[in-house]
């Protein structure tokens, strides 16, 4: 539905490519989350636990071609951007986020396309020296969750700003306000824990 194709299956993961607009990949991730919610309704009726999936999205140049030998050939892509996308997907488990995108993706989104998003973190992806800024797209979640994250976005971003200014004393009440409204906000709980630690113990290049 969104002009993408599956490159390969890796265990329980899917690696997909979207040669067109970045919005295609985001829309596909949102629709996947919506389908999982429908699927979980059937699982609950059968007495099974619900499942979660996390989508990591990045964009960049890559090499597409065939690898292998005569007995076994397959098409694939090789690129640094592939590694970054995989690492971003891994962070969905850390922050309990459904969809995470890089700032490179965010900058390429057409202004006419509106998605609900918020800043999540600035991380140094394994094997790279520069930081990659990560954002959460929270469309595709239940309506009440979208409302809670939208309602607390201002407090969350204030907390983030205070945190990176190393003003942990002001960051703590901002994250507490978010958690008071949305107790299930894992990202705020993580930042709250970090801020309390650095306030009590001091910091030594805490972003490293």
């Amino acid at each position: 539905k969104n002009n993408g194709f599956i490159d390969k299956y890796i265990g329980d993961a899917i690696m997909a490519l979207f040669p067109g607009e970045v919005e295609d990949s985001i829309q596909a991730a949102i629709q996947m989350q919506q389908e999982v919610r429908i699927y979980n309704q059937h699982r609950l009726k059968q007495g099974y636990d619900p499942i979660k999936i996390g989508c990591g999205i990045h964009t960049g140049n890559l090499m597409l071609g065939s690898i292998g030998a005569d007995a076994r050939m397959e098409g694939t892509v090789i690129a640094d951007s592939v590694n970054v996308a995989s690492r971003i997907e891994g962070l969905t488990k850390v922050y309990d986020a459904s969809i995470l995108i890089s700032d490179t993706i965010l900058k390429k989104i057409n202004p006419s396309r509106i998605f609900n998003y918020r800043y999540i973190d600035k991380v140094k992806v394994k094997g790279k020296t520069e930081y990659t800024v990560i954002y959460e797209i929270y469309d595709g979640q239940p309506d009440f969750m979208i409302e809670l994250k939208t309602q607390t976005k201002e407090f969350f971003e204030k907390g983030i700003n205070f945190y990176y200014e190393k003003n942990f004393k002001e960051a703590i009440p901002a994250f507490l306000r978010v958690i008071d409204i949305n107790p299930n906000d894992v990202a705020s709980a993580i930042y709250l824990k970090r801020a309390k630690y650095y306030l009590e113990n001091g910091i030594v290049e805490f972003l490293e």
Side-chain angles (χ1 to χ4, degrees):
K1 292 181 179 180
N2 295 285
N3 307 308
F5 62 92
I6 294 174
D7 177 88
K8 63 169 61 69
Y9 297 94
I10 313 167
D12 62 348
I14 294 172
M15 178 173 151
L17 305 177
F18 293 84
E21 306 298 327
V22 297
E23 293 87 356
D24 292 339
S25 60
I26 297 173
Q27 195 60 45
I30 291 171
Q31 291 177 11
M32 287 167 69
Q33 296 296 335
Q34 293 170 339
E35 289 296 327
V36 167
R37 287 169 52 202
I38 295 172
Y39 176 59
N40 278 336
Q41 292 176 6
H42 296 297
R43 288 182 62 85
L44 290 171
K45 290 179 181 178
Q46 298 298 323
Y48 296 114
D49 292 332
I51 65 169
K52 290 183 178 181
I53 65 169
C55 302
I57 306 176
H58 185 55
T59 185
N61 295 324
L62 51 79
M63 294 179 63
L64 186 151
S66 299
I67 62 171
D70 292 342
R72 180 171 180 176
M73 296 285 290
E74 68 174 348
T76 191
V77 291
I78 300 174
D80 178 67
S81 55
V82 175
N83 177 55
V84 173
S86 176
R87 301 300 182 185
I88 292 174
E89 182 277 325
L91 292 173
T92 62
K93 302 176 181 67
V94 176
Y95 292 100
D96 192 31
S98 300
I99 305 168
L100 291 180
I101 66 172
S102 65
D103 55 339
T104 308
I105 288 284
L106 185 67
K107 292 173 184 176
K108 290 180 176 291
I109 295 177
N110 190 312
S112 65
R113 299 291 297 274
I114 299 175
F115 298 103
N116 286 302
Y117 70 91
R118 64 177 185 171
Y119 178 98
I120 283 293
D121 206 349
K122 180 168 59 176
V123 298
K124 191 175 287 186
V125 178
K126 185 177 181 181
K128 296 181 69 68
T129 58
E130 297 181 353
Y131 286 105
T132 299
V133 180
I134 308 298
Y135 292 86
E136 176 189 13
I137 299 281
Y138 52 90
D139 291 304
Q141 298 184 14
D143 291 342
F144 77 92
M145 186 59 67
I146 294 176
E147 175 59 30
L148 284 174
K149 289 188 175 181
T150 300
Q151 183 181 346
T152 57
K153 182 177 178 179
E154 180 181 353
F155 301 116
F156 182 77
E157 292 181 344
K158 280 183 178 179
I160 292 290
N161 290 334
F162 284 130
Y163 178 84
Y164 281 110
E165 291 171 359
K166 303 179 184 179
N167 186 352
F168 305 116
K169 189 175 181 180
E170 295 294 335
I172 288 171
F175 292 126
L176 283 172
R177 183 68 184 275
V178 176
I179 294 172
D180 182 57
I181 298 172
N182 182 11
N184 296 317
D185 194 312
V186 172
S188 290
I190 290 174
Y191 275 107
L192 177 62
K193 183 178 180 180
R194 291 176 183 172
K196 286 182 175 179
Y197 176 85
Y198 292 128
L199 183 63
E200 294 173 2
N201 299 282
I203 58 174
V204 180
E205 293 298 329
F206 73 98
L207 287 179
E208 297 295 334

